[in-house]
Amino acid sequence: MRAAKLILILLCTWCFATLSYADPVADPLPSWNVGPTKTSIIDFVHAVTDEASPSYVQPSDRIATFDNDGTLWVEYPMYTQFIFALQRVKELAPQHPEWKDKPPFSAIISGDKSAMEKMTMHDVEQLLAVTHSGMSVEEFQKILINWLVAAKDPHFNRLYTQLVYQPMLEVMSYLRKNNFKIYIVTGGGQDFVRAYAQPTYGVAPEEVVGSTEKTKYGYANGVPTLTKLPEVLFIDDHAGKPEAINLFIGKKPIIAFGNSDGDQQMLEWTQSNSGKATLMLLVHHDDAAREFSYGPKSKVGTFSDALMQEAVQKKWHVISMKDDWKVIFPVVSIASQDQGK
Amino acid sequence: MRAAKLILILLCTWCFATLSYADPVADPLPSWNVGPTKTSIIDFVHAVTDEASPSYVQPSDRIATFDNDGTLWVEYPMYTQFIFALQRVKELAPQHPEWKDKPPFSAIISGDKSAMEKMTMHDVEQLLAVTHSGMSVEEFQKILINWLVAAKDPHFNRLYTQLVYQPMLEVMSYLRKNNFKIYIVTGGGQDFVRAYAQPTYGVAPEEVVGSTEKTKYGYANGVPTLTKLPEVLFIDDHAGKPEAINLFIGKKPIIAFGNSDGDQQMLEWTQSNSGKATLMLLVHHDDAAREFSYGPKSKVGTFSDALMQEAVQKKWHVISMKDDWKVIFPVVSIASQDQGK
């Protein structure tokens, strides 16, 4: 009898621990204000993970896709990857004295903002060619990591990797705990995002889908090498997003987060996941006090009136940074803020 | 004291169960004959999964890549996907009366083997265009699944999906149990392999990397649709394999299986995974009695003398189907064999 009692005690302890873990009182999204957006996320996760629910989705089909720039981290007033390219041109300039008189490099080196604002698509391609190709894939990762550990945003005086949105980190963590498979689907460079996605978001390289250049396999002193070429393979933006999701994942998402016109087709593709419950959300940058307020007229992260209309019509959720988020960025120690340039 | 004794008994029972589970007597590769190849696989898995081993690799870096045709299933005398394309042309012929007099379709419809053997690359492209594009990605999956559940190989009188190699299924299962992430990296069509990889190999769509065509996003009656285009995006063969591994996975494998010259660069790329223990293996089709014997002179699955020399020089393991494998194919019930055409 004493043995039976002991087993019962052990069992009860285990049950209690398990129940506490699943306690609904423990808020999975503490940085979100109570409201319809937060509720929609939590209700959705409950519905697709509860085996008794008619909306139950098996774990292998719980695909979540997140845009990156403006959805997971700051993109305004300039995409971080573009800032990297500009700074990289300056770093490389001493090895290229000919750039001093050659646009678009000359404008960057001299800091001629008015000339920089007039850059054409061809100019941008030239910048990307000299900063994003010609080296091995490993060398490029090293260059990026070296830059990312030190480069600071002048407006917030924070490392760029500290300008991620705390409420979105919580959503990713919450989905992960509920056996969702999380992908970043970004118009930005796949290699660029892979350089920091694992430590910053907990997203592995194979879960980052982005715009890519071609590579070329060869040998350097007999050692196999992949060299980055200045040729686009794939632009993962607008219609390119569902195309890339099909290419890389081969399944439709059930939940997708975006913030701009470039995410429209990804959200449509998610909603077309026939027979499954789906949730589509758009981060709206309406918080001039804590971040930025921009929308239809912004060149970066354009959130057009047409997208807003489609969101309303199709019952996509528009996340108000001002109203839905208690905090914007994670708390970081002064020490880590000081490690930047 | 009695309680302490009980806990000890429970603990010992648990320990015993755990030890039994890890008992080396339980053979993870029962269809492999005892020999250096089998030993190399088991020793490698032990070395990279034992935290006390200097070769320990954390689970997130345990990437395994498998070629498909000739490595996981039969490819001889003709790739299964090509057989699908030929049969599909015949199926579609009634809707295309003009094909009767138009090469290469006319040769297929009339069964003119001598004309079929003279097909050029341009002919093959035409075949792929009419059989692999023009439909939505979902429609193509349905066409493939309908074909795969019924199409039989005439030589073995088995469904093609039953012509997978039992010893390789065991390797995949063994690696999976040891927290490896398994990818198929195939020169064949990504969509084709995705149509049967999950039920046949337990490999999910997002774990199949193959040759791909472009798709185009659009709307059919307002419903988002991805249409397959007759334009190649990527050929995942030879140098394309490490390029695709970098593109899709972003990490180097630690173990790779191939069987032909098309896998050379994938194995080289795996071996170049610096600082990590790696294992490279090539299936050699040397079993004329139970499957086929072919090698340097075969157009399909060419295993050149140069590849054999490189394998010897770089200590890659050559798997002899004749000597290393007890059985070739899984045991299948007569009922399932009879479900074919």
Side-chain angles (χ1 to χ4, degrees), chain A residues 138 181 183 190 194 206 215 217 219 226 242-243 246-252 265 268, chain B residues 138 181 190 194 206 215 217 219 226 242-243 246-252 265 268:
Chain A
E138 290 95 343
K181 201 160 181 180
Y183 288 90
Q190 182 167 286
R194 279 179 174 175
E206 64 268 33
T215 57
Y217 182 81
Y219 306 89
L226 279 181
E243 291 166 12
N246 180 64
L247 178 66
F248 279 78
I249 312 174
K251 293 172 188 166
K252 287 183 181 180
Q265 293 85 349
E268 291 173 350
Chain B
E138 290 95 342
K181 201 159 181 182
Q190 183 167 286
R194 280 179 174 176
E206 64 267 34
T215 57
Y217 182 81
Y219 307 88
L226 279 182
E243 291 166 14
N246 181 63
L247 178 66
F248 280 78
I249 312 174
K251 294 172 187 166
K252 288 184 181 180
Q265 292 85 351
E268 290 173 352

mmCIF file of all heavy atoms in Angstrom, chain A residues 138 181 183 190 194 206 215 217 219 226 242-243 246-252 265 268, chain B residues 138 181 190 194 206 215 217 219 226 242-243 246-252 265 268:
data_model
loop_
_atom_site.group_PDB
_atom_site.id
_atom_site.type_symbol
_atom_site.label_atom_id
_atom_site.label_comp_id
_atom_site.label_asym_id
_atom_site.label_seq_id
_atom_site.Cartn_x
_atom_site.Cartn_y
_atom_site.Cartn_z
ATOM 1 N N GLU A 138 31.332 31.020 -47.939
ATOM 2 C CA GLU A 138 31.803 31.092 -46.545
ATOM 3 C C GLU A 138 32.411 32.468 -46.250
ATOM 4 O O GLU A 138 32.195 33.028 -45.182
ATOM 5 C CB GLU A 138 32.857 30.011 -46.243
ATOM 6 C CG GLU A 138 32.326 28.592 -46.198
ATOM 7 C CD GLU A 138 32.493 27.885 -47.534
ATOM 8 O OE1 GLU A 138 32.707 28.577 -48.555
ATOM 9 O OE2 GLU A 138 32.397 26.651 -47.549
ATOM 10 N N LYS A 181 6.371 24.890 -38.053
ATOM 11 C CA LYS A 181 7.664 24.998 -38.721
ATOM 12 C C LYS A 181 7.746 26.423 -39.261
ATOM 13 O O LYS A 181 6.905 26.834 -40.056
ATOM 14 C CB LYS A 181 7.741 23.971 -39.848
ATOM 15 C CG LYS A 181 9.152 23.661 -40.237
ATOM 16 C CD LYS A 181 9.240 22.343 -40.982
ATOM 17 C CE LYS A 181 10.687 22.059 -41.342
ATOM 18 N NZ LYS A 181 10.818 20.794 -42.057
ATOM 19 N N TYR A 183 9.334 29.625 -41.184
ATOM 20 C CA TYR A 183 10.206 30.070 -42.274
ATOM 21 C C TYR A 183 10.189 31.591 -42.367
ATOM 22 O O TYR A 183 9.132 32.213 -42.203
ATOM 23 C CB TYR A 183 9.714 29.519 -43.621
ATOM 24 C CG TYR A 183 9.931 28.042 -43.804
ATOM 25 C CD1 TYR A 183 8.957 27.133 -43.402
ATOM 26 C CD2 TYR A 183 11.098 27.550 -44.379
ATOM 27 C CE1 TYR A 183 9.149 25.766 -43.568
ATOM 28 C CE2 TYR A 183 11.299 26.195 -44.550
ATOM 29 C CZ TYR A 183 10.315 25.298 -44.144
ATOM 30 O OH TYR A 183 10.505 23.957 -44.308
ATOM 31 N N GLN A 190 18.979 36.151 -49.247
ATOM 32 C CA GLN A 190 18.927 34.945 -48.421
ATOM 33 C C GLN A 190 20.203 34.796 -47.586
ATOM 34 O O GLN A 190 20.131 34.504 -46.396
ATOM 35 C CB GLN A 190 18.742 33.742 -49.342
ATOM 36 C CG GLN A 190 18.611 32.417 -48.640
ATOM 37 C CD GLN A 190 18.124 31.334 -49.593
ATOM 38 O OE1 GLN A 190 16.955 31.298 -49.976
ATOM 39 N NE2 GLN A 190 19.011 30.452 -49.987
ATOM 40 N N ARG A 194 20.451 34.788 -43.514
ATOM 41 C CA ARG A 194 20.985 33.579 -42.878
ATOM 42 C C ARG A 194 22.133 33.897 -41.917
ATOM 43 O O ARG A 194 22.377 33.142 -40.972
ATOM 44 C CB ARG A 194 21.491 32.607 -43.952
ATOM 45 C CG ARG A 194 20.381 31.789 -44.583
ATOM 46 C CD ARG A 194 20.935 30.867 -45.667
ATOM 47 N NE ARG A 194 19.885 29.973 -46.168
ATOM 48 C CZ ARG A 194 20.069 29.128 -47.182
ATOM 49 N NH1 ARG A 194 21.243 29.068 -47.791
ATOM 50 N NH2 ARG A 194 19.077 28.344 -47.580
ATOM 51 N N GLU A 206 18.364 26.701 -43.234
ATOM 52 C CA GLU A 206 17.461 26.017 -44.166
ATOM 53 C C GLU A 206 16.016 26.508 -44.038
ATOM 54 O O GLU A 206 15.159 26.119 -44.823
ATOM 55 C CB GLU A 206 17.538 24.490 -43.989
ATOM 56 C CG GLU A 206 17.081 23.953 -42.644
ATOM 57 C CD GLU A 206 18.207 23.812 -41.621
ATOM 58 O OE1 GLU A 206 19.143 24.639 -41.645
ATOM 59 O OE2 GLU A 206 18.131 22.887 -40.793
ATOM 60 N N THR A 215 25.444 30.754 -57.836
ATOM 61 C CA THR A 215 26.794 30.444 -57.373
ATOM 62 C C THR A 215 27.447 29.530 -58.404
ATOM 63 O O THR A 215 26.766 28.938 -59.240
ATOM 64 C CB THR A 215 26.781 29.714 -56.009
ATOM 65 O OG1 THR A 215 25.999 28.521 -56.140
ATOM 66 C CG2 THR A 215 26.217 30.579 -54.906
ATOM 67 N N TYR A 217 30.253 26.358 -58.715
ATOM 68 C CA TYR A 217 31.104 25.375 -58.045
ATOM 69 C C TYR A 217 32.452 25.282 -58.748
ATOM 70 O O TYR A 217 32.510 25.260 -59.977
ATOM 71 C CB TYR A 217 30.423 24.012 -58.085
ATOM 72 C CG TYR A 217 31.172 22.912 -57.375
ATOM 73 C CD1 TYR A 217 31.095 22.764 -55.998
ATOM 74 C CD2 TYR A 217 31.954 22.010 -58.089
ATOM 75 C CE1 TYR A 217 31.770 21.749 -55.344
ATOM 76 C CE2 TYR A 217 32.636 20.992 -57.442
ATOM 77 C CZ TYR A 217 32.543 20.862 -56.073
ATOM 78 O OH TYR A 217 33.213 19.853 -55.435
ATOM 79 N N TYR A 219 37.110 24.812 -57.748
ATOM 80 C CA TYR A 219 38.127 24.373 -56.803
ATOM 81 C C TYR A 219 39.142 25.499 -56.596
ATOM 82 O O TYR A 219 39.584 26.114 -57.560
ATOM 83 C CB TYR A 219 38.847 23.128 -57.318
ATOM 84 C CG TYR A 219 37.893 22.006 -57.677
ATOM 85 C CD1 TYR A 219 37.366 21.922 -58.968
ATOM 86 C CD2 TYR A 219 37.503 21.058 -56.731
ATOM 87 C CE1 TYR A 219 36.475 20.905 -59.299
ATOM 88 C CE2 TYR A 219 36.608 20.047 -57.061
ATOM 89 C CZ TYR A 219 36.098 19.975 -58.356
ATOM 90 O OH TYR A 219 35.211 18.989 -58.680
ATOM 91 N N LEU A 226 32.307 27.259 -53.550
ATOM 92 C CA LEU A 226 31.161 27.872 -54.221
ATOM 93 C C LEU A 226 31.406 29.378 -54.234
ATOM 94 O O LEU A 226 31.508 30.006 -53.181
ATOM 95 C CB LEU A 226 29.867 27.589 -53.471
ATOM 96 C CG LEU A 226 29.189 26.245 -53.697
ATOM 97 C CD1 LEU A 226 27.906 26.181 -52.872
ATOM 98 C CD2 LEU A 226 28.886 26.001 -55.166
ATOM 99 N N PRO A 242 5.019 33.486 -53.202
ATOM 100 C CA PRO A 242 4.402 32.153 -53.336
ATOM 101 C C PRO A 242 5.231 31.209 -54.213
ATOM 102 O O PRO A 242 5.293 30.009 -53.934
ATOM 103 C CB PRO A 242 3.026 32.438 -53.963
ATOM 104 C CG PRO A 242 3.038 33.868 -54.367
ATOM 105 C CD PRO A 242 4.096 34.552 -53.585
ATOM 106 N N GLU A 243 5.882 31.749 -55.235
ATOM 107 C CA GLU A 243 6.726 30.896 -56.081
ATOM 108 C C GLU A 243 7.859 30.280 -55.254
ATOM 109 O O GLU A 243 8.158 29.091 -55.374
ATOM 110 C CB GLU A 243 7.279 31.709 -57.268
ATOM 111 C CG GLU A 243 6.193 32.116 -58.277
ATOM 112 C CD GLU A 243 6.618 33.196 -59.272
ATOM 113 O OE1 GLU A 243 7.827 33.489 -59.360
ATOM 114 O OE2 GLU A 243 5.737 33.745 -59.951
ATOM 115 N N ASN A 246 6.562 27.618 -52.774
ATOM 116 C CA ASN A 246 6.360 26.338 -53.456
ATOM 117 C C ASN A 246 7.695 25.662 -53.750
ATOM 118 O O ASN A 246 7.851 24.456 -53.560
ATOM 119 C CB ASN A 246 5.596 26.569 -54.756
ATOM 120 C CG ASN A 246 5.359 25.265 -55.497
ATOM 121 O OD1 ASN A 246 4.665 24.381 -55.021
ATOM 122 N ND2 ASN A 246 5.981 25.134 -56.661
ATOM 123 N N LEU A 247 8.671 26.450 -54.165
ATOM 124 C CA LEU A 247 9.986 25.914 -54.520
ATOM 125 C C LEU A 247 10.699 25.328 -53.304
ATOM 126 O O LEU A 247 11.230 24.223 -53.362
ATOM 127 C CB LEU A 247 10.833 27.035 -55.132
ATOM 128 C CG LEU A 247 12.272 26.708 -55.529
ATOM 129 C CD1 LEU A 247 12.303 25.716 -56.677
ATOM 130 C CD2 LEU A 247 13.028 27.982 -55.913
ATOM 131 N N PHE A 248 10.702 26.057 -52.202
ATOM 132 C CA PHE A 248 11.496 25.649 -51.042
ATOM 133 C C PHE A 248 10.730 24.732 -50.079
ATOM 134 O O PHE A 248 11.314 23.870 -49.463
ATOM 135 C CB PHE A 248 11.996 26.871 -50.266
ATOM 136 C CG PHE A 248 13.216 27.502 -50.869
ATOM 137 C CD1 PHE A 248 13.125 28.321 -51.980
ATOM 138 C CD2 PHE A 248 14.469 27.257 -50.329
ATOM 139 C CE1 PHE A 248 14.256 28.902 -52.545
ATOM 140 C CE2 PHE A 248 15.606 27.830 -50.877
ATOM 141 C CZ PHE A 248 15.505 28.652 -52.002
ATOM 142 N N ILE A 249 9.433 24.983 -49.932
ATOM 143 C CA ILE A 249 8.675 24.265 -48.903
ATOM 144 C C ILE A 249 7.741 23.224 -49.529
ATOM 145 O O ILE A 249 7.569 22.139 -48.998
ATOM 146 C CB ILE A 249 7.875 25.255 -48.019
ATOM 147 C CG1 ILE A 249 8.779 26.412 -47.559
ATOM 148 C CG2 ILE A 249 7.249 24.528 -46.838
ATOM 149 C CD1 ILE A 249 8.060 27.531 -46.808
ATOM 150 N N GLY A 250 7.140 23.578 -50.657
ATOM 151 C CA GLY A 250 6.255 22.618 -51.331
ATOM 152 C C GLY A 250 4.923 22.425 -50.631
ATOM 153 O O GLY A 250 4.185 21.486 -50.922
ATOM 154 N N LYS A 251 4.629 23.272 -49.667
ATOM 155 C CA LYS A 251 3.349 23.253 -48.954
ATOM 156 C C LYS A 251 2.914 24.691 -48.779
ATOM 157 O O LYS A 251 3.756 25.586 -48.693
ATOM 158 C CB LYS A 251 3.510 22.654 -47.543
ATOM 159 C CG LYS A 251 3.862 21.210 -47.476
ATOM 160 C CD LYS A 251 4.186 20.852 -46.020
ATOM 161 C CE LYS A 251 4.729 19.444 -45.919
ATOM 162 N NZ LYS A 251 5.350 19.191 -44.603
ATOM 163 N N LYS A 252 1.598 24.906 -48.649
ATOM 164 C CA LYS A 252 1.121 26.256 -48.364
ATOM 165 C C LYS A 252 1.189 26.520 -46.861
ATOM 166 O O LYS A 252 0.923 25.618 -46.061
ATOM 167 C CB LYS A 252 -0.324 26.409 -48.838
ATOM 168 C CG LYS A 252 -0.455 26.482 -50.346
ATOM 169 C CD LYS A 252 -1.895 26.715 -50.760
ATOM 170 C CE LYS A 252 -2.002 26.772 -52.282
ATOM 171 N NZ LYS A 252 -3.391 26.999 -52.731
ATOM 172 N N GLN A 265 0.909 38.773 -52.142
ATOM 173 C CA GLN A 265 0.712 37.472 -52.770
ATOM 174 C C GLN A 265 0.981 36.318 -51.792
ATOM 175 O O GLN A 265 0.340 35.273 -51.875
ATOM 176 C CB GLN A 265 1.593 37.339 -54.012
ATOM 177 C CG GLN A 265 1.198 38.269 -55.152
ATOM 178 C CD GLN A 265 1.796 39.667 -55.044
ATOM 179 O OE1 GLN A 265 2.361 40.048 -54.023
ATOM 180 N NE2 GLN A 265 1.673 40.457 -56.105
ATOM 181 N N GLU A 268 -2.204 36.010 -49.848
ATOM 182 C CA GLU A 268 -3.246 35.412 -50.696
ATOM 183 C C GLU A 268 -3.024 33.896 -50.832
ATOM 184 O O GLU A 268 -3.955 33.098 -50.750
ATOM 185 C CB GLU A 268 -3.222 36.042 -52.097
ATOM 186 C CG GLU A 268 -3.661 37.488 -52.142
ATOM 187 C CD GLU A 268 -3.463 38.145 -53.518
ATOM 188 O OE1 GLU A 268 -2.814 37.543 -54.386
ATOM 189 O OE2 GLU A 268 -3.946 39.270 -53.689
ATOM 190 N N GLU B 138 -0.656 22.077 -58.170
ATOM 191 C CA GLU B 138 -1.508 21.058 -57.547
ATOM 192 C C GLU B 138 -1.983 20.027 -58.577
ATOM 193 O O GLU B 138 -2.027 18.832 -58.296
ATOM 194 C CB GLU B 138 -2.753 21.680 -56.888
ATOM 195 C CG GLU B 138 -2.465 22.501 -55.641
ATOM 196 C CD GLU B 138 -2.318 23.979 -55.959
ATOM 197 O OE1 GLU B 138 -2.097 24.326 -57.143
ATOM 198 O OE2 GLU B 138 -2.402 24.780 -55.012
ATOM 199 N N LYS B 181 19.003 15.186 -40.185
ATOM 200 C CA LYS B 181 18.009 15.797 -41.057
ATOM 201 C C LYS B 181 18.296 15.271 -42.463
ATOM 202 O O LYS B 181 19.401 15.471 -42.983
ATOM 203 C CB LYS B 181 18.138 17.320 -40.994
ATOM 204 C CG LYS B 181 16.890 18.006 -41.428
ATOM 205 C CD LYS B 181 16.830 19.429 -40.904
ATOM 206 C CE LYS B 181 15.547 20.089 -41.351
ATOM 207 N NZ LYS B 181 15.469 21.476 -40.911
ATOM 208 N N GLN B 190 12.106 17.965 -59.035
ATOM 209 C CA GLN B 190 11.733 18.140 -57.629
ATOM 210 C C GLN B 190 10.258 17.794 -57.403
ATOM 211 O O GLN B 190 9.918 17.087 -56.458
ATOM 212 C CB GLN B 190 12.012 19.587 -57.228
ATOM 213 C CG GLN B 190 11.751 19.904 -55.779
ATOM 214 C CD GLN B 190 12.350 21.253 -55.393
ATOM 215 O OE1 GLN B 190 13.549 21.391 -55.252
ATOM 216 N NE2 GLN B 190 11.511 22.245 -55.230
ATOM 217 N N ARG B 194 8.790 14.792 -55.064
ATOM 218 C CA ARG B 194 7.916 15.181 -53.946
ATOM 219 C C ARG B 194 6.584 14.429 -53.963
ATOM 220 O O ARG B 194 5.962 14.270 -52.917
ATOM 221 C CB ARG B 194 7.633 16.695 -54.010
ATOM 222 C CG ARG B 194 8.760 17.535 -53.450
ATOM 223 C CD ARG B 194 8.437 19.019 -53.557
ATOM 224 N NE ARG B 194 9.456 19.835 -52.889
ATOM 225 C CZ ARG B 194 9.465 21.157 -52.901
ATOM 226 N NH1 ARG B 194 8.507 21.825 -53.543
ATOM 227 N NH2 ARG B 194 10.409 21.830 -52.286
ATOM 228 N N GLU B 206 9.542 19.569 -48.245
ATOM 229 C CA GLU B 206 10.586 20.574 -48.020
ATOM 230 C C GLU B 206 11.972 19.943 -47.867
ATOM 231 O O GLU B 206 12.964 20.671 -47.771
ATOM 232 C CB GLU B 206 10.239 21.447 -46.797
ATOM 233 C CG GLU B 206 10.186 20.721 -45.458
ATOM 234 C CD GLU B 206 8.791 20.222 -45.081
ATOM 235 O OE1 GLU B 206 8.016 19.838 -45.992
ATOM 236 O OE2 GLU B 206 8.488 20.211 -43.874
ATOM 237 N N THR B 215 7.858 28.799 -62.082
ATOM 238 C CA THR B 215 6.402 28.848 -61.989
ATOM 239 C C THR B 215 5.971 30.307 -62.119
ATOM 240 O O THR B 215 6.792 31.214 -61.964
ATOM 241 C CB THR B 215 5.891 28.309 -60.631
ATOM 242 O OG1 THR B 215 6.495 29.069 -59.584
ATOM 243 C CG2 THR B 215 6.202 26.843 -60.444
ATOM 244 N N TYR B 217 2.958 32.988 -60.791
ATOM 245 C CA TYR B 217 1.821 33.250 -59.916
ATOM 246 C C TYR B 217 0.750 34.033 -60.666
ATOM 247 O O TYR B 217 1.067 34.975 -61.400
ATOM 248 C CB TYR B 217 2.287 34.067 -58.716
ATOM 249 C CG TYR B 217 1.201 34.372 -57.699
ATOM 250 C CD1 TYR B 217 0.831 33.424 -56.759
ATOM 251 C CD2 TYR B 217 0.557 35.607 -57.685
ATOM 252 C CE1 TYR B 217 -0.162 33.698 -55.825
ATOM 253 C CE2 TYR B 217 -0.429 35.885 -56.742
ATOM 254 C CZ TYR B 217 -0.781 34.927 -55.816
ATOM 255 O OH TYR B 217 -1.758 35.204 -54.893
ATOM 256 N N TYR B 219 -3.997 34.253 -61.137
ATOM 257 C CA TYR B 219 -5.311 33.969 -60.556
ATOM 258 C C TYR B 219 -6.167 33.231 -61.581
ATOM 259 O O TYR B 219 -6.215 33.619 -62.748
ATOM 260 C CB TYR B 219 -6.013 35.266 -60.145
ATOM 261 C CG TYR B 219 -5.168 36.137 -59.239
ATOM 262 C CD1 TYR B 219 -4.292 37.073 -59.779
ATOM 263 C CD2 TYR B 219 -5.224 35.996 -57.855
ATOM 264 C CE1 TYR B 219 -3.492 37.865 -58.959
ATOM 265 C CE2 TYR B 219 -4.427 36.782 -57.028
ATOM 266 C CZ TYR B 219 -3.563 37.721 -57.586
ATOM 267 O OH TYR B 219 -2.770 38.492 -56.773
ATOM 268 N N LEU B 226 -0.411 28.844 -59.023
ATOM 269 C CA LEU B 226 0.959 28.787 -59.532
ATOM 270 C C LEU B 226 0.961 27.851 -60.724
ATOM 271 O O LEU B 226 0.626 26.673 -60.594
ATOM 272 C CB LEU B 226 1.911 28.242 -58.472
ATOM 273 C CG LEU B 226 2.417 29.184 -57.398
ATOM 274 C CD1 LEU B 226 3.382 28.440 -56.473
ATOM 275 C CD2 LEU B 226 3.113 30.395 -57.996
ATOM 276 N N PRO B 242 26.083 20.676 -55.195
ATOM 277 C CA PRO B 242 26.514 21.550 -54.095
ATOM 278 C C PRO B 242 25.870 22.935 -54.165
ATOM 279 O O PRO B 242 25.553 23.523 -53.123
ATOM 280 C CB PRO B 242 28.040 21.638 -54.254
ATOM 281 C CG PRO B 242 28.367 21.015 -55.557
ATOM 282 C CD PRO B 242 27.229 20.126 -55.936
ATOM 283 N N GLU B 243 25.639 23.438 -55.370
ATOM 284 C CA GLU B 243 24.988 24.751 -55.488
ATOM 285 C C GLU B 243 23.576 24.694 -54.888
ATOM 286 O O GLU B 243 23.167 25.598 -54.158
ATOM 287 C CB GLU B 243 24.942 25.177 -56.960
ATOM 288 C CG GLU B 243 26.326 25.517 -57.524
ATOM 289 C CD GLU B 243 26.384 25.613 -59.058
ATOM 290 O OE1 GLU B 243 25.311 25.678 -59.686
ATOM 291 O OE2 GLU B 243 27.490 25.613 -59.604
ATOM 292 N N ASN B 246 23.675 24.404 -51.036
ATOM 293 C CA ASN B 246 23.887 25.715 -50.431
ATOM 294 C C ASN B 246 22.622 26.565 -50.502
ATOM 295 O O ASN B 246 22.242 27.235 -49.544
ATOM 296 C CB ASN B 246 25.040 26.431 -51.140
ATOM 297 C CG ASN B 246 25.311 27.793 -50.539
ATOM 298 O OD1 ASN B 246 25.678 27.908 -49.385
ATOM 299 N ND2 ASN B 246 25.062 28.836 -51.318
ATOM 300 N N LEU B 247 21.944 26.493 -51.628
ATOM 301 C CA LEU B 247 20.737 27.299 -51.829
ATOM 302 C C LEU B 247 19.606 26.876 -50.884
ATOM 303 O O LEU B 247 18.972 27.716 -50.252
ATOM 304 C CB LEU B 247 20.278 27.147 -53.288
ATOM 305 C CG LEU B 247 18.998 27.867 -53.710
ATOM 306 C CD1 LEU B 247 19.171 29.372 -53.654
ATOM 307 C CD2 LEU B 247 18.585 27.430 -55.124
ATOM 308 N N PHE B 248 19.373 25.582 -50.781
ATOM 309 C CA PHE B 248 18.223 25.100 -50.015
ATOM 310 C C PHE B 248 18.532 24.873 -48.539
ATOM 311 O O PHE B 248 17.669 25.054 -47.703
ATOM 312 C CB PHE B 248 17.685 23.794 -50.614
ATOM 313 C CG PHE B 248 16.801 23.996 -51.815
ATOM 314 C CD1 PHE B 248 17.340 24.281 -53.056
ATOM 315 C CD2 PHE B 248 15.423 23.934 -51.691
ATOM 316 C CE1 PHE B 248 16.533 24.490 -54.164
ATOM 317 C CE2 PHE B 248 14.610 24.137 -52.789
ATOM 318 C CZ PHE B 248 15.154 24.416 -54.027
ATOM 319 N N ILE B 249 19.738 24.419 -48.248
ATOM 320 C CA ILE B 249 20.047 24.009 -46.870
ATOM 321 C C ILE B 249 20.968 25.026 -46.191
ATOM 322 O O ILE B 249 20.818 25.308 -45.005
ATOM 323 C CB ILE B 249 20.676 22.589 -46.838
ATOM 324 C CG1 ILE B 249 19.844 21.613 -47.702
ATOM 325 C CG2 ILE B 249 20.795 22.091 -45.408
ATOM 326 C CD1 ILE B 249 20.446 20.230 -47.865
ATOM 327 N N GLY B 250 21.927 25.545 -46.934
ATOM 328 C CA GLY B 250 22.829 26.547 -46.355
ATOM 329 C C GLY B 250 23.854 25.960 -45.393
ATOM 330 O O GLY B 250 24.509 26.693 -44.657
ATOM 331 N N LYS B 251 23.940 24.640 -45.361
ATOM 332 C CA LYS B 251 24.942 23.952 -44.535
ATOM 333 C C LYS B 251 25.505 22.815 -45.366
ATOM 334 O O LYS B 251 24.811 22.287 -46.233
ATOM 335 C CB LYS B 251 24.273 23.320 -43.297
ATOM 336 C CG LYS B 251 23.700 24.261 -42.298
ATOM 337 C CD LYS B 251 22.910 23.456 -41.259
ATOM 338 C CE LYS B 251 22.168 24.368 -40.315
ATOM 339 N NZ LYS B 251 21.161 23.624 -39.525
ATOM 340 N N LYS B 252 26.726 22.394 -45.057
ATOM 341 C CA LYS B 252 27.274 21.232 -45.754
ATOM 342 C C LYS B 252 26.793 19.951 -45.074
ATOM 343 O O LYS B 252 26.677 19.909 -43.844
ATOM 344 C CB LYS B 252 28.803 21.277 -45.720
ATOM 345 C CG LYS B 252 29.399 22.347 -46.623
ATOM 346 C CD LYS B 252 30.915 22.286 -46.623
ATOM 347 C CE LYS B 252 31.485 23.380 -47.520
ATOM 348 N NZ LYS B 252 32.951 23.370 -47.550
ATOM 349 N N GLN B 265 30.382 15.851 -57.257
ATOM 350 C CA GLN B 265 30.588 17.142 -56.597
ATOM 351 C C GLN B 265 29.879 17.208 -55.238
ATOM 352 O O GLN B 265 30.359 17.862 -54.310
ATOM 353 C CB GLN B 265 30.111 18.287 -57.499
ATOM 354 C CG GLN B 265 30.962 18.482 -58.754
ATOM 355 C CD GLN B 265 30.566 17.576 -59.919
ATOM 356 O OE1 GLN B 265 29.751 16.659 -59.767
ATOM 357 N NE2 GLN B 265 31.145 17.804 -61.082
ATOM 358 N N GLU B 268 32.230 15.504 -52.886
ATOM 359 C CA GLU B 268 33.390 16.384 -52.635
ATOM 360 C C GLU B 268 33.010 17.504 -51.663
ATOM 361 O O GLU B 268 33.751 17.831 -50.742
ATOM 362 C CB GLU B 268 33.867 17.019 -53.950
ATOM 363 C CG GLU B 268 34.513 16.043 -54.917
ATOM 364 C CD GLU B 268 34.819 16.670 -56.288
ATOM 365 O OE1 GLU B 268 34.388 17.810 -56.539
ATOM 366 O OE2 GLU B 268 35.459 16.000 -57.097
#
